[in-house]
C-alpha cells in the first residue's frame, strides 16, 4: 500500500522549519551583539573612569582649561558621585564657562550646574574650604541675577555675607554686595558696601555707582561731588557721559534749569544719539510749561531708544 505523500505540505513544513531556525539564529546574534555592545560600553566607561583622577583634573585646572575640567569631572563623578574635590572643580569650571558665554541660555545652564554642585559640595566640605565655596555660590547667584528675569540678589547677599563672616578675603566682595543691594532697592546698604569697596579699589564705575545710589536716596549734594570727581578725572567717555546726564537730572531737581541744559548740551556735543540727554531736555521744557518742545525732545529720545522708560511714560502722561 502506497503512502499518500503531500508534496506541497511537505515543502511548506520545510520552509517553516527553515524560517524558524533563521529567526532563532538572528535572535541569538542580536543577543550576542547587544551583550558585546553593553560590555564594550561599560568597559570603555570603566577604562575612561580609571584614566581620570583628581590629578588629571588638577592638571587641566592648572592650565585654565575649564572645558576639559568640566568634561573630566562629569565622567569622574559618574562613579564617584560625592567626591568633594571633583564637585568643587566641576562647579568652578561651570562658573567660568558661564562667564565666557554670549548665549544667556547656555550661561544660565552652566550657572545652574555650578550652583547645584556647590550646594552638594558644601555638605561635606572641609571647614577651611567652606568660606570659599560660599563666596563662589554668592558670585554664581549674582551672575544669575544679571541674566534672568528672576531675582537672585538676596541669595547672592546671603552667601557673600556668610563668606565674609567666615573669614574669606576677596577684594570684590563689597562691590558685589553693593550691586546686589542696589538691585533690591536697598539704597543705604548699597552705599555702605560701595564705600567699603572704594577703600579697596577705586574705579570710575564704582564712583558712578555710589553717585547713583546717593541720587536715589535724594542725597543730591553727595551725588554731585562724586560726579564732579568722575567728570574731572575719568578717561572713560561712556562713564563721563552717564555722569553728565545724571548731573543734569540733579540740576533739574534743584530747579537750576540753565545748568541742567548746559550739561545735556555737553552730552549731545559728544554724542548726538544720547536718548537720556534728549529726555532730560524734554523734562526741562516740561518744567518750564512748554509741552510742545518737551514732546519733541521725548520723540527724539524714543527714535534713538524705542523703549526708553522715561520718555514712554512722559509721552503717555502728556
Amino acid at each position: 500500500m502506497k503512502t499518500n505523500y503531500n508534496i506541497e505540505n511537505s515543502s511548506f513544513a520545510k520552509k517553516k522549519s527553515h524560517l524558524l531556525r533563521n529567526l532563532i539564529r538572528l535572535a541569538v546574534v542580536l543577543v550576542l551583539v547587544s551583550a558585546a555592545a553593553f560590555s564594550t560600553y561599560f568597559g570603555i566607561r570603566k577604562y575612561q573612569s580609571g584614566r581620570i583622577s583628581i590629578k588629571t583634573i588638577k592638571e587641566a585646572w592648572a592650565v585654565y582649561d575649564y572645558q576639559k575640567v568640566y568634561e573630566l569631572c562629569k565622567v569622574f563623578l559618574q562613579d564617584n558621585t560625592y567626591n568633594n574635590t571633583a564637585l568643587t572643580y566641576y562647579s568652578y569650571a561651570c562658573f567660568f564657562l558661564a562667564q565666557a558665554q554670549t548665549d544667556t541660555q547656555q550661561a544660565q545652564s552652566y550657572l545652574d550646574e555650578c550652583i547645584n554642585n556647590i550646594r552638594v559640595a558644601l555638605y561635606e566640605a572641609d571647614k577651611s574650604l567652606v568660606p570659599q565655596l560660599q563666596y563662589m555660590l554668592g558670585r554664581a547667584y549674582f551672575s544669575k541675577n544679571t541674566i534672568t528675569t528672576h531675582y537672585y540678589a538676596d541669595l547672592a547677599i546671603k552667601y557673600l555675607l556668610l563668606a565674609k563672616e567666615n573669614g574669606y578675603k576677596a577684594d570684590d566682595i563689597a562691590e558685589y554686595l553693593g550691586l546686589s543691594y542696589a538691585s533690591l532697592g536697598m539704597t543705604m546698604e548699597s552705599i555702605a558696601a560701595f564705600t567699603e569697596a572704594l577703600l579697596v579699589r577705586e574705579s570710575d564705575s564704582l564712583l558712578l555707582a555710589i553717585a547713583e545710589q546717593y541720587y536715589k536716596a535724594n542725597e543730591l549734594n553727595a551725588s554731585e561731588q562724586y560726579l564732579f570727581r568722575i567728570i574731572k578725572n575719568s578717561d572713560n567717555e561712556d562713564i563721563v557721559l552717564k555722569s553728565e546726564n545724571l548731573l543734569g537730572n540733579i540740576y533739574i531737581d534743584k530747579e537750576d534749569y540753565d545748568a541742567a541744559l548746559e550739561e545735556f548740551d555737553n552730552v549731545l556735543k559728544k554724542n548726538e544719539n544720547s536718548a537720556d540727554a534728549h529726555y532730560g531736555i524734554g523734562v526741562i521744557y516740561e518744567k518750564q510749561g512748554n509741552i510742545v518742545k518737551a514732546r519733541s525732545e521725548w520723540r527724539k529720545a524714543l527714535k534713538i531708544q524705542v523703549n526708553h522708560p522715561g520718555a514712554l511714560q512722559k509721552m503717555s502722561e502728556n
Side-chain angles (χ1 to χ4, degrees), residues 100-312:
Q101 296 302 311
T102 53
D103 181 344
T104 55
Q105 260 191 329
Q106 185 61 55
Q108 191 169 327
S109 177
Y110 278 128
L111 286 171
D112 286 339
E113 284 188 83
C114 171
I115 289 166
N116 291 338
N117 282 282
I118 290 179
R119 293 182 77 95
V120 174
L122 274 168
Y123 278 108
E124 294 187 13
D126 290 339
K127 189 176 180 181
S128 60
L129 184 62
V130 168
Q132 186 187 97
L133 287 168
Q134 291 169 334
Y135 165 74
M136 288 300 293
L137 187 53
R139 283 191 65 184
Y141 277 124
F142 174 84
S143 295
K144 194 169 171 65
N145 189 65
T146 63
I147 61 173
T148 67
T149 54
H150 303 289
Y151 291 101
Y152 293 92
D154 56 337
L155 289 169
I157 291 168
K158 174 184 175 179
Y159 287 103
L160 288 169
L161 285 176
L162 279 172
K164 188 178 177 183
E165 288 165 8
N166 288 325
Y168 191 75
K169 305 291 184 184
D171 290 348
D172 53 11
I173 288 182
E175 188 168 352
Y176 285 129
L177 282 170
L179 292 167
S180 300
Y181 283 129
S183 70
L184 292 173
M186 301 171 69
T187 306
M188 299 315 295
E189 291 85 348
S190 177
I191 290 170
F194 281 139
T195 303
E196 182 183 339
L198 204 59
L199 297 174
V200 177
R201 178 181 57 84
E202 183 173 314
S203 68
D204 295 336
S205 59
L206 195 52
L207 291 170
L208 178 58
I210 295 173
E212 288 171 340
Q213 292 306 304
Y214 271 122
Y215 179 70
K216 287 180 181 178
N218 203 34
E219 297 282 348
L220 301 184
N221 290 333
S223 179
E224 195 174 347
Q225 293 307 309
Y226 280 100
L227 295 173
F228 284 149
R229 191 165 156 188
I230 297 168
I231 294 166
K232 181 180 178 181
N233 300 313
S234 178
D235 295 324
N236 187 318
E237 187 173 322
D238 184 54
I239 288 181
V240 170
L241 291 176
K242 288 179 180 178
S243 299
E244 289 176 335
N245 271 320
L246 182 53
L247 190 56
N249 290 331
I250 288 173
Y251 288 142
I252 289 174
D253 290 348
K254 288 184 172 184
E255 299 184 356
D256 189 347
Y257 301 133
D258 290 338
L261 186 58
E262 184 179 345
E263 290 299 327
F264 293 131
D265 283 340
N266 284 338
V267 172
L268 291 173
K269 284 175 186 175
K270 299 171 189 174
N271 177 17
E272 62 183 7
N273 290 318
S274 172
D276 288 336
H278 283 295
Y279 167 75
I281 293 171
V283 173
I284 293 171
Y285 283 131
E286 179 191 31
K287 297 286 186 182
Q288 294 173 336
N290 194 334
I291 298 301
V292 174
K293 282 190 174 183
R295 287 177 62 84
S296 174
E297 291 297 327
W298 295 329
R299 278 194 292 269
K300 289 177 186 176
L302 291 171
K303 189 174 180 181
I304 296 165
Q305 183 183 335
V306 294
N307 61 343
H308 191 284
L312 284 172

Side-chain angles (χ1 to χ4, degrees), residues 7-25:
I7 295 175
E8 290 183 2
N9 287 343
S10 175
S11 176
F12 175 75
K14 286 180 179 180
K15 287 180 180 178
K16 187 175 180 182
S17 176
H18 182 67
L19 179 61
L20 184 60
R21 283 198 300 273
N22 285 342
L23 286 173
I24 292 170
R25 287 173 186 158

Side-chain angles (χ1 to χ4, degrees), residues 40-91:
T40 302
Y41 168 76
F42 286 110
I44 290 172
R45 179 174 162 181
K46 187 175 181 180
Y47 174 69
Q48 287 180 329
S49 181
R51 289 179 61 204
I52 297 169
S53 65
I54 296 300
K55 183 181 176 182
T56 59
I57 292 169
K58 286 182 176 180
E59 287 171 351
W61 180 267
V63 294
Y64 309 104
D65 192 343
Y66 301 125
Q67 185 63 47
K68 188 174 181 180
V69 172
Y70 174 83
E71 291 166 1
L72 291 174
C73 287
K74 205 160 193 177
V75 175
F76 184 86
L77 286 165
Q78 287 175 352
D79 294 317
N80 303 274
T81 309
Y82 297 107
N83 184 287
N84 200 270
T85 303
L87 284 168
T88 301
Y89 277 110
Y90 184 38
S91 58

